[in-house]
Amino acid sequence: MWIGVISIFPELLASIASAGVLGRAVKRGDLAFAVFNPRNYAEDRRRTVDDRPYGGGPGMVMLAEPLLQAVAAARAAAPSPPLVVYLSPQGRRLDQPKVQSLAELPSLVLLAGRYEGIDQRVIDLAVDEELSIGDYVLSGGELPAMVVVEALCRLLPGVLNNQDSILSESHLDGLLEYPHYTRPESVRAASVPEVLMCGDHGAVAKWRRKQALLRTWRERPDLLSARRLEDEDIRLLRDALAVQAQGGSGGED
Ligand code: 9D3
């Protein structure tokens, strides 16, 4: 996959792109990553990329022309016609299904803005869609762009050496993860749940499912409302909640 990012802070993106899973994907050629700096397309000697908003108001707005030229440069560099996504608080919220559909594209351009935003004409002329990463206020689109890149990257063929972890992510589809434990058996007098030590794989699977259901019920009830539970899941959750009502942690089995 080819991803071009448009940003006036290329160093910020380069540092993220060179580390971890992402860095490895780029090194191995599973992901091609290029940054286009609108400042390089500014027309004046000061290389200005922003100006005051027409109609007044606080802050600055990114100039249309340097952004349009940066998008054109990214389009020209892409191996196939890219989807152009503007990271913006006005966008639809990113979720895993959206990440999956983006990961299937051969080419993608991510436009990261700064200041109050960008000239609307850039959106009208050069942007296919707007995406937000959530309802909180950041100072620009660079971190959101890299959130998209990192989420995509994990789904690219060959990127995760452990394709199992992708499978088990969809395996508990729509539920939070069960708790994990590793050695030692006792940490500051806190022990590992008995069932994980007994070697009974059926019992372990049932306990984990129950934990995932209970956690989701407690922390993310919205996820449960959005799906239909199997009869067995309903039984497990009822069980866990009954134990909880009797004063247990819900972890008993
Ligand atoms: C006048 C109100 N503004 C400032 C408080 C609006 C505003 C402009 C620019 C708010 C944030 C930003 C910069 N944010 C992004 O570019 C951004 C973003 C975000 O802030 N949150 C979640 N997802 C995204 S994607 C891009």
Side-chain angles (χ1 to χ4, degrees):
M1 180 175 191
W2 184 92
I3 301 181
V5 181
I6 294 164
S7 161
I8 59 169
F9 293 116
E11 346 51 76
L12 192 58
L13 303 168
S15 80
I16 302 175
S18 62
V21 172
L22 208 54
R24 255 196 318 278
V26 170
K27 228 170 160 181
R28 293 176 34 160
D30 295 319
L31 176 71
F33 184 79
V35 183
F36 299 84
N37 187 348
R39 213 173 276 287
N40 295 339
Y41 305 95
E43 277 144 359
D44 63 326
R45 269 194 35 194
R46 298 212 124 83
R47 307 214 295 165
T48 310
V49 292
D50 63 327
D51 204 341
R52 300 185 348 241
Y54 276 125
M60 301 292 271
V61 175
M62 288 186 89
L63 293 172
E65 204 54 53
L67 285 174
L68 288 170
Q69 293 204 36
V71 173
R75 274 188 193 287
S80 60
L83 183 78
V84 179
V85 172
Y86 170 43
L87 285 308
S88 128
Q90 278 76 51
R92 215 192 79 188
R93 175 132 98 252
L94 182 71
D95 55 17
Q96 192 64 17
K98 183 68 195 178
V99 171
Q100 261 154 17
S101 70
L102 291 177
E104 285 163 19
L105 298 172
S107 301
L108 175 66
V109 169
L110 299 172
L111 171 52
R114 281 271 150 176
Y115 315 112
E116 280 312 297
I118 72 179
D119 191 303
Q120 179 63 33
R121 289 165 292 187
V122 176
I123 300 170
D124 299 341
L125 292 169
V127 168
D128 297 312
E129 48 185 271
E130 295 183 63
L131 277 182
S132 161
I133 62 163
D135 295 336
Y136 37 83
V137 180
L138 302 170
S139 302
E142 281 78 10
L143 290 174
M146 294 317 281
V147 164
V148 173
V149 173
E150 182 156 313
L152 285 182
C153 178
R154 307 180 61 267
L155 301 182
L156 298 180
V159 167
L160 283 196
N161 41 11
N162 183 7
Q163 287 290 320
D164 278 5
S165 52
I166 290 185
L167 279 180
S168 72
E169 264 163 36
S170 54
H171 161 87
L172 287 173
D173 61 329
L175 295 183
L176 300 183
E177 282 260 319
Y178 53 79
H180 300 282
Y181 296 87
T182 187
R183 293 193 296 178
E185 234 181 280
S186 178
V187 173
R188 318 272 168 110
S191 56
V192 175
E194 208 55 59
V195 59
L196 299 180
M197 319 286 289
C198 71
D200 179 343
H201 298 303
V204 168
K206 201 171 137 184
W207 180 86
R208 285 179 168 166
R209 185 83 190 168
K210 193 184 265 190
Q211 290 298 312
L213 287 161
L214 188 59
R215 274 187 163 183
T216 310
W217 173 273
R218 283 175 178 161
E219 306 300 332
R220 292 293 305 278
D222 58 302
L223 295 178
L224 288 182
S225 331
R227 69 208 288 295
R228 261 197 69 82
L229 288 183
E230 306 285 323
D231 290 349
E232 172 65 4
D233 282 343
I234 292 171
R235 263 196 301 280
L236 286 171
L237 184 55
R238 279 233 169 82
D239 254 35
L241 289 168
V243 170
Q244 191 190 16
Q246 288 158 34
S249 64
E252 293 80 355
D253 207 81

